Amino acid sequence: MTCNNCARHVTEAIQSVPGVESAAVSLQAKSASVRWNSGTTSNINAVIHAIERAGFKAKSIVPEPDNATLAKPARRESIWSNSVFIGVIPTALLMMGEWGLGLSHTTWFRWASFALASFVQFGPGLQFYRGAWNQLKVGQSNMDTLVSLGSTTAFAYSTWALLSGHSGHLYFMEAAAIITLISVGHWIEARVSSRAANSLKALMHLAPATARRIDARGGEQEV
């Protein structure tokens, strides 16, 4: 799941399973909890199958320790920070060449733009392509579809124009910028979630190891 629309699709898929009363899907934790109707036997396999039919992968998990749960936002932040780092440098070079130095119609820069955009397209862009492909297989779409469609259209047209010798404007910079900017958005979102998880972890450590309870007779008991 990469966006709220993905989480909505997963929620709808789970709720379509007979016997499910409600489902709570967490985009940040990449997990879902299911509440079953009273008197209904839980069917985890049916839930997993419904999620896979919606275009997402799923597996049953056992309750994790609090530290493992709180570490998930940090891992997600690390993934997106790597994508941002890989995408920002080529995109910045493309912007500098086009906007700063006016090299957009220079032959060597046009080929350099193709190389830099390809690096972004098949590096950080692979995450978006995987998500879009999974949704396409089930006849649905999400934000990954929009990002992939916009970036691929710009990249494919520019590649055709470059190889055919067309002298018009190439959109390699725009193709790379789409992927990089959306990656930055995901990274900011993951960073906020990671900080919130760290704050929650700090609060958990503030809880005292023991407490004293006063009973009805005024005596104290350590619990």
Side-chain angles (χ1 to χ4, degrees):
M1 298 183 295
T2 57
C3 64
N4 289 326
N5 193 43
C6 296
R8 180 177 61 83
H9 284 316
V10 172
T11 302
E12 292 174 348
I14 296 174
Q15 291 176 340
S16 69
V17 176
V20 171
E21 179 182 347
S22 62
V25 178
S26 172
L27 175 62
Q28 288 74 27
K30 308 290 186 184
S31 64
S33 59
V34 181
R35 182 184 296 274
W36 298 88
N37 291 320
S38 58
T40 301
T41 303
S42 61
N43 189 345
I44 302 300
N45 289 333
V47 172
I48 293 175
H49 186 58
I51 295 174
E52 290 177 344
R53 284 203 312 269
F56 301 91
K57 294 181 179 180
K59 65 179 181 178
S60 177
I61 59 175
V62 296
E64 296 179 314
D66 292 332
N67 288 340
T69 301
L70 295 176
K72 287 183 177 180
R75 291 197 297 267
R76 185 165 178 259
E77 179 188 358
S78 176
I79 292 172
W80 284 111
S81 64
N82 291 336
S83 293
V84 169
F85 178 77
I86 294 172
V88 161
I89 296 176
T91 303
L93 292 174
L94 288 168
M95 290 180 175
M96 183 184 301
E98 283 202 23
W99 293 347
L101 303 177
L103 301 174
S104 57
H105 293 289
T106 305
T107 301
W108 72 266
F109 183 76
R110 290 163 73 90
W111 283 100
S113 298
F114 169 70
L116 292 170
S118 298
F119 187 74
V120 177
Q121 205 76 22
F122 303 106
L126 286 180
Q127 295 191 70
F128 298 103
Y129 284 122
R130 291 192 191 102
W133 174 246
N134 289 334
Q135 290 297 292
L136 181 62
K137 289 190 294 185
V138 295
Q140 296 185 14
S141 63
N142 60 0
M143 188 179 69
D144 291 336
T145 307
L146 298 177
V147 174
S148 301
L149 183 61
S151 182
T152 301
T153 300
F155 181 81
Y157 167 79
S158 300
T159 301
W160 169 82
L162 177 65
L163 296 178
S164 64
H166 185 64
S167 60
H169 179 73
L170 302 181
Y171 297 93
F172 288 125
M173 182 193 73
E174 288 79 359
I178 291 173
I179 291 174
T180 301
L181 290 176
I182 301 300
S183 296
V184 169
H186 280 301
W187 171 68
I188 293 174
E189 179 187 14
R191 184 173 176 81
V192 171
S193 298
S194 179
R195 288 189 174 185
N198 289 335
S199 298
L200 179 59
K201 184 177 180 180
L203 287 175
M204 292 170 60
H205 287 308
L206 292 177
T210 60
R212 293 185 180 276
R213 181 176 62 188
I214 301 177
D215 57 28
R217 294 175 294 180
E220 292 186 1
Q221 181 182 6
E222 190 174 281
V223 294

